[in-house]
Amino acid sequence: MPFSSFIFFSSDVCFLTGFAPFVFLFLVIGCTARPFYPLPNKVDGGSRKPLQTFRPYNIAHRGSNGEFPEETSAAYTKAIEEGADFIEADILSSKDGVLICFHDFYLDNITDIASHKEFADRKRTYEVQGENSTGFFTVDFTLKELKSLRVRQRFENRDQQFNGKFQIITFEEFINIALDAPRVVGIYPEIKNPVFINQHVKWSDGKRFEDKFVETLQKYGLKGSYLSKNWRRQPVFIQSFAPTSLVYIANKTDLPKIFLINEVVIPTEDTNQSYWEITSDEYLNYIKQYVVGIGPWKNTLVPVLNNYTETPTDLVSRAHAHNLQVHPYTYRNENCFLPFNFSQDPYVEYDYWINKIGVDGLFTDFTGSLHRFQEWTSKHQDDDDDDEDEDASRLLHKIALLLSSYN
């Protein structure tokens, strides 16, 4: 029922006597039905559509990397087109201190570094997180040299046609992709391998990796605590597996932070704490002073044995009890990544994690699939709301007929 009609009808009621119950009923219906004003993004013509906050976040893991090589401009642009709430990136550094988007600390797996004979003498062996690794490391290449490389798809079973077509991008280029989106799209950058980066990259001003990371965000005016006006304008989650990095930046930015949690057998890279220690209630109570949530590997929440899911752990409920969000990683469409319980159907998996486990965000390689699932399930909820509106309209019509008999 249009708002103007409601006002006109209400005016008629005001001239009648003895119909207080009807007036009260109108007020009740007016308060419980959908609002009669347009949504905010429809009112402010020049502004972008705001970030949705009513359902779990769709986090594009390294962009839409199920379709394009990861952490490239194409992967991020595609993720935005497909409905991502956030685009996610791993932030490392070049030799000359420029922050870049790249997951591995070495270049061997997903670039064409092997075909660049001019870099053949750059192969090194470094200790990373207690283990020796040999390869071509980002910290031994300037940004100009890194830009000469081309990225390829990590998984052989995914589309290979875009191999060799895209460059490594910088942190600033990544931010601008989100800022240039036609709607508000958040960013979800990770302080990646901070211990290793601080060991091998030195900035002239004596600052450390975490300082440069925060300064880059501040350069673009990115600030604000979770759900604040500033945060909603351009949302950001800062993530890291290193708790000391998250604690260190706590006084440098009020942007919300997420503590990433690795596999059960992998200790924290900076404090050498076990999985069991950092998921204890005592530790969750401590870390919640600095973060708004945790980002665990999903198999630590629901263990998988022989490709079947087992009984879920209580980490989600305990995290929620500490007022911490839970954003697990990583959801992938391919059959080889789907437990048999889900009948090789990613929609069944999404339904399980969102509606049974109750997570607050999902890192996915296939942003479009998660978006379609959420839109489909939201549509059915909207249909239920429409049914309620129709019932209210029918009731109003009956009231109108009753009132007309007194004219």
Side-chain angles (χ1 to χ4, degrees):
M1 184 174 188
F3 183 67
S4 57
S5 300
F6 178 77
I7 293 296
F8 178 77
F9 195 173
S10 297
S11 299
D12 284 347
V13 172
C14 291
F15 287 108
L16 296 171
T17 59
F19 288 93
F22 292 120
V23 176
F24 175 76
L25 187 56
F26 278 130
L27 292 175
V28 171
I29 293 170
C31 292
T32 57
R34 288 184 176 181
F36 291 105
Y37 44 82
L39 296 174
N41 59 298
K42 301 296 185 182
V43 176
D44 189 3
S47 66
R48 299 184 296 167
K49 181 179 179 181
L51 177 75
Q52 70 80 20
T53 57
F54 66 91
R55 66 190 185 194
Y57 294 124
N58 183 336
I59 306 161
H61 181 240
R62 309 179 203 169
S64 186
N65 84 84
E67 299 170 82
F68 287 88
E70 64 188 53
E71 312 214 31
T72 59
S73 58
Y76 291 124
T77 300
K78 184 65 173 178
I80 292 170
E81 291 175 356
E82 291 182 332
D85 296 317
F86 287 85
I87 52 175
E88 186 263 353
D90 306 276
I91 308 302
L92 292 173
S93 178
S94 65
K95 180 179 181 179
D96 47 348
V98 180
L99 303 192
I100 61 170
C101 296
F102 202 75
H103 177 268
D104 302 347
F105 44 77
Y106 48 86
L107 299 160
D108 305 52
N109 285 348
I110 63 165
T111 75
D112 59 353
I113 184 71
S115 64
H116 286 257
K117 303 305 180 185
E118 69 273 25
F119 299 140
D121 62 346
R122 303 285 185 92
K123 183 172 284 192
R124 301 283 187 273
T125 297
Y126 291 130
E127 181 180 320
V128 184
Q129 294 180 233
E131 296 184 2
N132 287 334
S133 297
T134 300
F136 297 93
F137 292 78
T138 66
V139 295
D140 291 322
F141 294 80
T142 65
L143 177 64
K144 182 178 180 180
E145 291 170 334
L146 291 172
K147 284 287 190 182
S148 70
L149 307 178
R150 294 296 179 269
V151 183
R152 63 171 176 260
Q153 174 59 249
R154 180 179 296 272
F155 295 97
E156 293 183 357
N157 59 302
R158 293 180 178 174
D159 195 347
Q160 304 293 308
Q161 68 171 312
F162 302 109
N163 289 351
K165 295 186 177 180
F166 302 107
Q167 295 178 321
I168 294 171
I169 66 172
T170 67
F171 188 14
E172 293 197 44
E173 289 172 330
F174 167 75
I175 292 172
N176 278 296
I177 290 172
L179 292 177
D180 291 339
R183 56 185 172 82
V184 175
V185 175
I187 62 170
Y188 208 125
E190 178 185 346
I191 302 174
K192 190 77 174 179
N193 299 120
V195 174
F196 179 77
I197 296 298
N198 282 317
Q199 287 174 343
H200 294 276
V201 181
K202 304 300 178 184
W203 284 270
S204 59
D205 56 7
K207 293 186 176 180
R208 51 195 272 186
F209 177 35
E210 294 91 336
D211 295 318
K212 295 299 180 181
F213 181 98
V214 172
E215 286 175 3
T216 304
L217 295 171
Q218 292 172 337
K219 177 180 177 180
Y220 289 87
L222 303 180
K223 60 183 179 180
S225 57
Y226 182 60
L227 293 182
S228 66
K229 183 177 180 180
N230 284 326
W231 187 85
R232 287 176 182 270
R233 185 177 297 115
Q234 184 53 56
V236 180
F237 281 115
I238 297 172
Q239 56 172 330
S240 184
F241 285 99
T244 54
S245 293
L246 296 170
V247 172
Y248 177 77
I249 66 171
N251 293 326
K252 297 179 179 295
T253 176
D254 59 352
L255 288 167
K257 302 155 192 73
I258 300 290
F259 177 39
L260 299 175
I261 298 175
N262 220 318
E263 299 179 44
V264 174
V265 296
I266 300 179
T268 54
E269 65 181 85
D270 53 340
T271 58
N272 199 37
Q273 292 172 285
S274 72
Y275 167 85
W276 306 109
E277 181 178 353
I278 62 175
T279 58
S280 68
D281 283 317
E282 180 181 5
Y283 193 82
L284 293 177
N285 193 52
Y286 159 74
I287 201 66
K288 74 178 183 181
Q289 302 172 75
Y290 306 100
V291 304
V292 300
I294 59 173
W297 182 44
K298 65 187 179 77
N299 284 20
T300 63
L301 302 179
V302 181
V304 176
L305 180 64
N306 297 324
N307 209 37
Y308 283 95
T309 57
E310 299 191 295
T311 303
T313 68
D314 63 353
L315 182 53
V316 172
S317 61
R318 289 193 296 109
H320 285 165
H322 288 279
N323 200 31
L324 292 167
Q325 296 185 43
V326 181
H327 300 174
Y329 64 91
T330 301
Y331 297 86
R332 299 179 168 115
N333 282 11
E334 293 97 341
N335 290 346
C336 58
F337 296 115
L338 287 170
F340 293 140
N341 312 60
F342 303 134
S343 304
Q344 308 290 269
D345 186 344
Y347 279 21
V348 175
E349 182 179 40
Y350 288 139
D351 180 65
Y352 174 81
W353 282 92
I354 292 172
N355 296 314
K356 182 173 182 178
I357 303 301
V359 299
D360 309 289
L362 303 90
F363 287 80
T364 176
D365 285 1
F366 294 89
T367 307
S369 292
L370 177 54
H371 181 70
R372 285 188 293 273
F373 171 78
Q374 290 185 301
E375 287 293 290
W376 183 79
T377 52
S378 295
K379 181 179 184 301
H380 279 252
Q381 180 61 50
D382 289 343
D383 289 344
D384 292 340
D385 293 341
D386 290 341
D387 291 340
E388 292 175 5
D389 289 351
E390 289 175 8
D391 290 342
S393 296
R394 282 194 291 269
L395 180 57
L396 284 171
H397 180 65
K398 290 179 180 179
I399 293 171
L401 290 176
L402 286 171
L403 290 175
S404 66
S405 65
Y406 287 88
N407 290 338

